[in-house]
Amino acid sequence: MQLTDLVANQYLNVRLKTATDATRLSRTISSVAPTELIEPTGYLSGNELLTLSGIGMNFGDARTWNAYVERLARVPVTGILFHSGVVHPAVPQGLIDAGNVFDVPVLEVAPPVNLLQVHRLVNDTIQAEHYAVLRSSLALADRCAELEARGTTLLGLLEEIRIVVGGDVGLVDSQGRMVASRPAGMRWNVPGLRAPAKTDALVEHLRLLNPVRGSERFAIAVRSPQNDSVVDSLLGPVGSIVSLHLNSTAEHYNVENDRMRSLVEHLRLPDSESPRFTKKLMRAAGFDPQKPIVLITVRTGADPHDSWRMRLDLTDIFPTLGLLETERYSLLIGQDFDRDSAQPATLRRLHDIAPRRPAIVTAPLPGIGALRTAVMASPRQLDRVQEPTAARPFDLPSVLATALSTGGVEQALEFIRPLNDYDVESGSELVRTLRAFLDADGSPTRTATALFIHRNSLTYRINRIGELLGVSLSTMDGKATCSVALAVWGMHDSGENDDQAMPDIPRSTVTTWKLP
């Protein structure tokens, strides 16, 4: 109930005596506080409607009235309702002036209406509102429990909460960072899990959830025009459902991640054209081998929750979504999407949540062969972008992913290995130099600038590379051969090795994916 409801009630005939704006009158009344004390603040908790008739307030000094109202403004009270005609024929002018000074609404009620009638109306209205909020909170919890039983996503639960609270809703971790939100891209300005903050007409409210996996703390964040008590009541029962969902997700996460890792490792194998076994791995990971797939490759960030946050933010685009995290990047495989909008919608979403994070998003892939090519090629493409970008449908890594057999991979690695051996023995940077030279399209000036070395030093290194590999980097054939060899190495590098170290890949094995 608000002060505007009192003023609008034609039977009470409550009159506003101060020059108070509509925003101040829209504050919610938490309860009624009848008092005649000159110092009642010790019995007030905030947002009460203070009612009095002025017994014992026969002073006319403006400073006394100012001190009285100033103390009430600090509580703060929602307003002061003065019953005239009992002790004072009208509301004292000092009280009205003090209300204007400290922005505390002062209202008047006069006979034949008395304060008891006002108390009864306000209390009955507040109880009815509390009962309505309780029913809404239980209905919300019931709907979310049904969705959870059907296997809904976190975004599905947040959407149900958003509809009821009438504002933005998100999940915030213990550092105050947004993990997922409805609508997507919600920004949260409250640093950490602190007291609610008020911004303009919206209230920012945090509801702490039960710990996930025994220690991780999350909270539901709400930005809504409704007051704190209403929001907190609405979030009480449904908070348990969200906590249950988070714990259930955490318990199944490791199993899902292991299945995704088995699938991706198999797809990275040269000669992994064993359709029956590949389909078995896809089904185990939760995918349908007959449906199209979108592959999303995202650079790993410093925040350990980044990949999980991104997965949650994309579940409305991809109802079926798997995640594999490595030290350098994360792979997300999505299915059951709209073919026409999946790629552009994903790119827009990634721009919203991580606009400067390198990411590669493929168009819908028709089959297992196309997925294998994308798994091999996307990490290489990721090194050349600075933001979410659509995958190139055809490039050198894509060709290598489909053309090279196990023997071809091993030959490429053996070709480039002399440079690695030389770097290890002499502490030089020939592998890094070769990569920079090829990235600069063979331009000595650009290569020297990128490496911060003199042109003469670069010339010596290029000649030494040619001697060790037995090719000439001044010819197209030599450059193409080295580019292919480095591309093969890049596709089979696990991220544990830097640019100077060659991956140690025994025959008929693949790179080990290390999870954080």
Side-chain angles (χ1 to χ4, degrees), residues 148-175:
E148 178 66 16
R150 298 173 189 170
T152 189
T153 64
L154 175 63
L155 291 178
L157 297 178
L158 295 180
E159 178 62 21
E160 288 295 324
I161 298 173
R162 185 194 67 79
I163 294 173
V164 174
V165 301
D168 299 344
V169 178
L171 184 71
V172 179
D173 64 16
S174 58
Q175 304 301 316

Side-chain angles (χ1 to χ4, degrees), residues 98-138:
N100 285 322
V101 171
F102 297 102
D103 193 25
V104 175
V106 176
L107 304 98
E108 179 186 19
V109 63
V113 179
N114 57 49
L115 290 180
L116 181 60
Q117 292 173 279
V118 176
H119 295 170
R120 184 179 296 138
L121 173 66
V122 173
N123 288 329
D124 289 348
T125 303
I126 292 176
Q127 289 180 10
E129 290 174 347
H130 286 170
Y131 180 68
V133 171
L134 177 61
R135 292 186 60 183
S136 297
S137 67
L138 294 177

Side-chain angles (χ1 to χ4, degrees), residues 31-36 40 43-44 48-52 77 119 123:
S31 63
V32 177
T35 181
E36 298 296 337
Y43 304 96
L44 303 176
E48 290 93 348
L49 174 64
L50 193 85
T51 64
L52 71 157
V77 297
H119 295 170
N123 288 329

